Amino acid sequence: MQHLRLELHFILDTAFHTTGNRWRWGADKALAMAPDDTYVIPATTLKGTLRDRAEMLLRTWGQDVCSGPTPNTMCSEPDRLCPVCQVFGNPRFPSPLCFQDGRFEPDVVAQIRSGISISRQRHAALPRRLFFVETTSPGPLEAIAICEGYFPNRESALLGCALVILAAQWMPAVGGGRTRGLGWIEKIKVEVTLNSEPVPQQQLETLWREWSGGHNVAED
Ligand SMILES: [Zn+2]
């Protein structure tokens, strides 16, 4: 088995919000929190956003990928999975990669923002539609998220590595409220090891070039 470990370092330009299942006095939408009472970017949010990006990029390049999130439009045969399902899994096939919650470093404090719902037809505020959202303090913020797992061979591990890095580089924002300017990513740096060794950039570039149809992603 091949052990792949990716450490994603995020720098967020703006405050972050993803609605958790907590209740907080004064907020209609409270932030997601880890069991130790710190604010986090939930693992499911990270994985979902990266999967969406990977799917979108490969499809743009004409690669054969299935479309989520409904199980009957996703790959069904375990030995004929598209690259996205091989790396991120689907309802029938668990992902080899396990994502951890993204941790803010240093820890962040929260604030309450108000917003109003605007009618698209009348371009005016809808009556009685004032709401309150709990967000992190304003950016820039730094967060670190780790994902790791075991792949059956080097080839599949490299595919996982190349796809996560590619999706991360093309991820403009994470979490909810993007149109209200929340969760915009300034940059993501990915540190990666395969069996505790660094992964040669050249091997990843070969895969990116294949997917993009001969164009070198790094040079374009
Ligand atoms: Zn698939």
mmCIF file of all heavy atoms in Angstrom, residues 87-114:
data_model
loop_
_atom_site.group_PDB
_atom_site.id
_atom_site.type_symbol
_atom_site.label_atom_id
_atom_site.label_comp_id
_atom_site.label_asym_id
_atom_site.label_seq_id
_atom_site.Cartn_x
_atom_site.Cartn_y
_atom_site.Cartn_z
ATOM 1 N N VAL A 87 -10.677 8.986 -6.596
ATOM 2 C CA VAL A 87 -9.989 9.776 -5.570
ATOM 3 C C VAL A 87 -10.939 10.214 -4.452
ATOM 4 O O VAL A 87 -10.623 10.120 -3.273
ATOM 5 C CB VAL A 87 -9.301 11.005 -6.207
ATOM 6 C CG1 VAL A 87 -8.660 11.885 -5.147
ATOM 7 C CG2 VAL A 87 -8.273 10.563 -7.235
ATOM 8 N N PHE A 88 -12.131 10.704 -4.835
ATOM 9 C CA PHE A 88 -13.049 11.259 -3.834
ATOM 10 C C PHE A 88 -14.136 10.280 -3.413
ATOM 11 O O PHE A 88 -14.913 10.573 -2.502
ATOM 12 C CB PHE A 88 -13.679 12.550 -4.355
ATOM 13 C CG PHE A 88 -12.681 13.665 -4.528
ATOM 14 C CD1 PHE A 88 -12.106 13.922 -5.752
ATOM 15 C CD2 PHE A 88 -12.292 14.430 -3.438
ATOM 16 C CE1 PHE A 88 -11.175 14.931 -5.918
ATOM 17 C CE2 PHE A 88 -11.361 15.449 -3.584
ATOM 18 C CZ PHE A 88 -10.799 15.700 -4.825
ATOM 19 N N GLY A 89 -14.213 9.116 -4.072
ATOM 20 C CA GLY A 89 -15.223 8.122 -3.724
ATOM 21 C C GLY A 89 -16.610 8.543 -4.188
ATOM 22 O O GLY A 89 -16.796 9.608 -4.776
ATOM 23 N N ASN A 90 -17.568 7.671 -3.959
ATOM 24 C CA ASN A 90 -18.976 7.988 -4.244
ATOM 25 C C ASN A 90 -19.836 7.139 -3.306
ATOM 26 O O ASN A 90 -19.286 6.400 -2.483
ATOM 27 C CB ASN A 90 -19.270 7.806 -5.748
ATOM 28 C CG ASN A 90 -19.256 6.362 -6.209
ATOM 29 O OD1 ASN A 90 -19.588 5.436 -5.470
ATOM 30 N ND2 ASN A 90 -18.868 6.154 -7.453
ATOM 31 N N PRO A 91 -21.165 7.232 -3.385
ATOM 32 C CA PRO A 91 -21.975 6.514 -2.384
ATOM 33 C C PRO A 91 -21.724 4.998 -2.343
ATOM 34 O O PRO A 91 -21.996 4.357 -1.342
ATOM 35 C CB PRO A 91 -23.411 6.802 -2.823
ATOM 36 C CG PRO A 91 -23.327 8.101 -3.555
ATOM 37 C CD PRO A 91 -21.997 8.085 -4.248
ATOM 38 N N ARG A 92 -21.185 4.431 -3.432
ATOM 39 C CA ARG A 92 -20.950 2.981 -3.437
ATOM 40 C C ARG A 92 -19.498 2.611 -3.147
ATOM 41 O O ARG A 92 -19.186 1.464 -2.872
ATOM 42 C CB ARG A 92 -21.320 2.388 -4.800
ATOM 43 C CG ARG A 92 -22.783 2.494 -5.135
ATOM 44 C CD ARG A 92 -23.075 1.821 -6.458
ATOM 45 N NE ARG A 92 -24.379 2.204 -6.957
ATOM 46 C CZ ARG A 92 -24.599 3.229 -7.754
ATOM 47 N NH1 ARG A 92 -23.602 3.976 -8.148
ATOM 48 N NH2 ARG A 92 -25.820 3.513 -8.160
ATOM 49 N N PHE A 93 -18.606 3.580 -3.283
ATOM 50 C CA PHE A 93 -17.174 3.298 -3.166
ATOM 51 C C PHE A 93 -16.526 4.330 -2.238
ATOM 52 O O PHE A 93 -16.500 5.518 -2.574
ATOM 53 C CB PHE A 93 -16.552 3.367 -4.581
ATOM 54 C CG PHE A 93 -15.058 3.276 -4.608
ATOM 55 C CD1 PHE A 93 -14.430 2.043 -4.490
ATOM 56 C CD2 PHE A 93 -14.274 4.417 -4.734
ATOM 57 C CE1 PHE A 93 -13.051 1.958 -4.501
ATOM 58 C CE2 PHE A 93 -12.883 4.337 -4.748
ATOM 59 C CZ PHE A 93 -12.279 3.092 -4.633
ATOM 60 N N PRO A 94 -16.046 3.897 -1.076
ATOM 61 C CA PRO A 94 -15.460 4.890 -0.152
ATOM 62 C C PRO A 94 -14.156 5.461 -0.690
ATOM 63 O O PRO A 94 -13.384 4.761 -1.340
ATOM 64 C CB PRO A 94 -15.204 4.084 1.130
ATOM 65 C CG PRO A 94 -15.178 2.658 0.711
ATOM 66 C CD PRO A 94 -15.976 2.527 -0.560
ATOM 67 N N SER A 95 -13.920 6.746 -0.446
ATOM 68 C CA SER A 95 -12.700 7.399 -0.894
ATOM 69 C C SER A 95 -11.500 6.844 -0.136
ATOM 70 O O SER A 95 -11.575 6.636 1.063
ATOM 71 C CB SER A 95 -12.817 8.901 -0.636
ATOM 72 O OG SER A 95 -11.546 9.508 -0.769
ATOM 73 N N PRO A 96 -10.375 6.621 -0.841
ATOM 74 C CA PRO A 96 -9.170 6.211 -0.108
ATOM 75 C C PRO A 96 -8.628 7.334 0.766
ATOM 76 O O PRO A 96 -7.859 7.085 1.690
ATOM 77 C CB PRO A 96 -8.173 5.861 -1.209
ATOM 78 C CG PRO A 96 -8.797 6.195 -2.508
ATOM 79 C CD PRO A 96 -10.158 6.732 -2.289
ATOM 80 N N LEU A 97 -9.041 8.573 0.477
ATOM 81 C CA LEU A 97 -8.525 9.712 1.233
ATOM 82 C C LEU A 97 -9.461 10.089 2.370
ATOM 83 O O LEU A 97 -10.674 10.148 2.203
ATOM 84 C CB LEU A 97 -8.371 10.929 0.318
ATOM 85 C CG LEU A 97 -7.184 10.958 -0.626
ATOM 86 C CD1 LEU A 97 -7.274 12.180 -1.523
ATOM 87 C CD2 LEU A 97 -5.870 10.973 0.145
ATOM 88 N N CYS A 98 -8.861 10.354 3.527
ATOM 89 C CA CYS A 98 -9.661 10.789 4.661
ATOM 90 C C CYS A 98 -9.327 12.261 4.934
ATOM 91 O O CYS A 98 -8.159 12.621 5.092
ATOM 92 C CB CYS A 98 -9.295 9.906 5.841
ATOM 93 S SG CYS A 98 -10.107 10.397 7.329
ATOM 94 N N PHE A 99 -10.328 13.115 4.917
ATOM 95 C CA PHE A 99 -10.119 14.554 5.129
ATOM 96 C C PHE A 99 -10.348 14.907 6.589
ATOM 97 O O PHE A 99 -11.292 14.427 7.214
ATOM 98 C CB PHE A 99 -11.081 15.370 4.257
ATOM 99 C CG PHE A 99 -10.716 15.384 2.808
ATOM 100 C CD1 PHE A 99 -10.952 14.273 2.009
ATOM 101 C CD2 PHE A 99 -10.127 16.492 2.232
ATOM 102 C CE1 PHE A 99 -10.607 14.270 0.651
ATOM 103 C CE2 PHE A 99 -9.782 16.510 0.882
ATOM 104 C CZ PHE A 99 -10.018 15.395 0.094
ATOM 105 N N GLN A 100 -9.475 15.752 7.124
ATOM 106 C CA GLN A 100 -9.687 16.274 8.479
ATOM 107 C C GLN A 100 -10.215 17.706 8.379
ATOM 108 O O GLN A 100 -10.035 18.359 7.357
ATOM 109 C CB GLN A 100 -8.366 16.283 9.256
ATOM 110 C CG GLN A 100 -7.818 14.897 9.508
ATOM 111 C CD GLN A 100 -6.422 14.931 10.113
ATOM 112 O OE1 GLN A 100 -5.982 15.963 10.637
ATOM 113 N NE2 GLN A 100 -5.720 13.830 10.033
ATOM 114 N N ASP A 101 -10.839 18.173 9.459
ATOM 115 C CA ASP A 101 -11.318 19.563 9.486
ATOM 116 C C ASP A 101 -10.144 20.518 9.301
ATOM 117 O O ASP A 101 -9.055 20.261 9.804
ATOM 118 C CB ASP A 101 -11.960 19.887 10.838
ATOM 119 C CG ASP A 101 -13.268 19.141 11.044
ATOM 120 O OD1 ASP A 101 -13.890 18.734 10.051
ATOM 121 O OD2 ASP A 101 -13.658 18.984 12.215
ATOM 122 N N GLY A 102 -10.370 21.622 8.590
ATOM 123 C CA GLY A 102 -9.343 22.654 8.460
ATOM 124 C C GLY A 102 -9.299 23.480 9.736
ATOM 125 O O GLY A 102 -10.321 23.955 10.216
ATOM 126 N N ARG A 103 -8.096 23.637 10.287
ATOM 127 C CA ARG A 103 -7.921 24.379 11.547
ATOM 128 C C ARG A 103 -7.376 25.771 11.264
ATOM 129 O O ARG A 103 -6.420 25.907 10.501
ATOM 130 C CB ARG A 103 -6.914 23.647 12.435
ATOM 131 C CG ARG A 103 -7.347 22.260 12.793
ATOM 132 C CD ARG A 103 -7.988 22.297 14.152
ATOM 133 N NE ARG A 103 -8.748 21.087 14.417
ATOM 134 C CZ ARG A 103 -9.609 20.988 15.415
ATOM 135 N NH1 ARG A 103 -9.827 22.005 16.214
ATOM 136 N NH2 ARG A 103 -10.269 19.876 15.621
ATOM 137 N N PHE A 104 -7.963 26.764 11.901
ATOM 138 C CA PHE A 104 -7.435 28.119 11.730
ATOM 139 C C PHE A 104 -6.225 28.307 12.625
ATOM 140 O O PHE A 104 -6.216 27.863 13.774
ATOM 141 C CB PHE A 104 -8.504 29.155 12.084
ATOM 142 C CG PHE A 104 -9.606 29.200 11.070
ATOM 143 C CD1 PHE A 104 -10.830 28.600 11.325
ATOM 144 C CD2 PHE A 104 -9.418 29.820 9.842
ATOM 145 C CE1 PHE A 104 -11.853 28.627 10.379
ATOM 146 C CE2 PHE A 104 -10.434 29.843 8.889
ATOM 147 C CZ PHE A 104 -11.652 29.250 9.158
ATOM 148 N N GLU A 105 -5.190 28.941 12.081
ATOM 149 C CA GLU A 105 -3.977 29.181 12.853
ATOM 150 C C GLU A 105 -3.537 30.624 12.660
ATOM 151 O O GLU A 105 -3.193 30.988 11.539
ATOM 152 C CB GLU A 105 -2.849 28.254 12.381
ATOM 153 C CG GLU A 105 -3.257 26.818 12.422
ATOM 154 C CD GLU A 105 -2.177 25.903 12.998
ATOM 155 O OE1 GLU A 105 -1.022 26.346 13.080
ATOM 156 O OE2 GLU A 105 -2.507 24.789 13.357
ATOM 157 N N PRO A 106 -3.550 31.452 13.667
ATOM 158 C CA PRO A 106 -4.044 31.120 15.006
ATOM 159 C C PRO A 106 -5.561 30.971 15.009
ATOM 160 O O PRO A 106 -6.222 31.299 14.017
ATOM 161 C CB PRO A 106 -3.605 32.349 15.819
ATOM 162 C CG PRO A 106 -3.574 33.461 14.829
ATOM 163 C CD PRO A 106 -3.125 32.838 13.538
ATOM 164 N N ASP A 107 -6.086 30.497 16.126
ATOM 165 C CA ASP A 107 -7.511 30.311 16.310
ATOM 166 C C ASP A 107 -8.266 31.620 16.011
ATOM 167 O O ASP A 107 -7.710 32.698 16.199
ATOM 168 C CB ASP A 107 -7.727 29.923 17.778
ATOM 169 C CG ASP A 107 -8.970 29.073 17.937
ATOM 170 O OD1 ASP A 107 -9.622 28.781 16.928
ATOM 171 O OD2 ASP A 107 -9.271 28.710 19.078
ATOM 172 N N VAL A 108 -9.494 31.541 15.535
ATOM 173 C CA VAL A 108 -10.220 32.770 15.194
ATOM 174 C C VAL A 108 -11.368 33.025 16.161
ATOM 175 O O VAL A 108 -11.826 32.115 16.832
ATOM 176 C CB VAL A 108 -10.802 32.706 13.757
ATOM 177 C CG1 VAL A 108 -9.704 32.760 12.737
ATOM 178 C CG2 VAL A 108 -11.659 31.463 13.562
ATOM 179 N N VAL A 109 -11.800 34.268 16.203
ATOM 180 C CA VAL A 109 -12.995 34.586 16.980
ATOM 181 C C VAL A 109 -14.133 34.811 15.986
ATOM 182 O O VAL A 109 -13.905 35.005 14.800
ATOM 183 C CB VAL A 109 -12.811 35.842 17.853
ATOM 184 C CG1 VAL A 109 -11.868 35.551 19.003
ATOM 185 C CG2 VAL A 109 -12.331 37.008 17.024
ATOM 186 N N ALA A 110 -15.347 34.787 16.495
ATOM 187 C CA ALA A 110 -16.489 34.923 15.597
ATOM 188 C C ALA A 110 -17.160 36.264 15.780
ATOM 189 O O ALA A 110 -16.972 36.946 16.786
ATOM 190 C CB ALA A 110 -17.486 33.809 15.870
ATOM 191 N N GLN A 111 -17.900 36.670 14.764
ATOM 192 C CA GLN A 111 -18.684 37.893 14.860
ATOM 193 C C GLN A 111 -20.019 37.649 14.173
ATOM 194 O O GLN A 111 -20.171 36.685 13.432
ATOM 195 C CB GLN A 111 -17.921 39.036 14.198
ATOM 196 C CG GLN A 111 -17.643 38.776 12.718
ATOM 197 C CD GLN A 111 -16.809 39.881 12.083
ATOM 198 O OE1 GLN A 111 -16.030 40.548 12.746
ATOM 199 N NE2 GLN A 111 -16.996 40.091 10.800
ATOM 200 N N ILE A 112 -20.965 38.526 14.447
ATOM 201 C CA ILE A 112 -22.276 38.382 13.822
ATOM 202 C C ILE A 112 -22.423 39.466 12.752
ATOM 203 O O ILE A 112 -22.143 40.627 12.997
ATOM 204 C CB ILE A 112 -23.412 38.562 14.862
ATOM 205 C CG1 ILE A 112 -23.270 37.556 16.015
ATOM 206 C CG2 ILE A 112 -24.776 38.462 14.199
ATOM 207 C CD1 ILE A 112 -23.761 36.177 15.731
ATOM 208 N N ARG A 113 -22.836 39.045 11.564
ATOM 209 C CA ARG A 113 -23.101 40.011 10.494
ATOM 210 C C ARG A 113 -24.578 39.952 10.179
ATOM 211 O O ARG A 113 -25.181 38.888 10.220
ATOM 212 C CB ARG A 113 -22.401 39.602 9.211
ATOM 213 C CG ARG A 113 -20.930 39.696 9.283
ATOM 214 C CD ARG A 113 -20.384 39.376 7.923
ATOM 215 N NE ARG A 113 -18.943 39.515 7.988
ATOM 216 C CZ ARG A 113 -18.181 39.826 6.966
ATOM 217 N NH1 ARG A 113 -18.712 40.024 5.770
ATOM 218 N NH2 ARG A 113 -16.887 39.934 7.098
ATOM 219 N N SER A 114 -25.103 41.078 9.754
ATOM 220 C CA SER A 114 -26.500 41.043 9.345
ATOM 221 C C SER A 114 -26.575 41.104 7.831
ATOM 222 O O SER A 114 -25.660 41.574 7.160
ATOM 223 C CB SER A 114 -27.259 42.216 9.957
ATOM 224 O OG SER A 114 -26.680 43.407 9.518
#
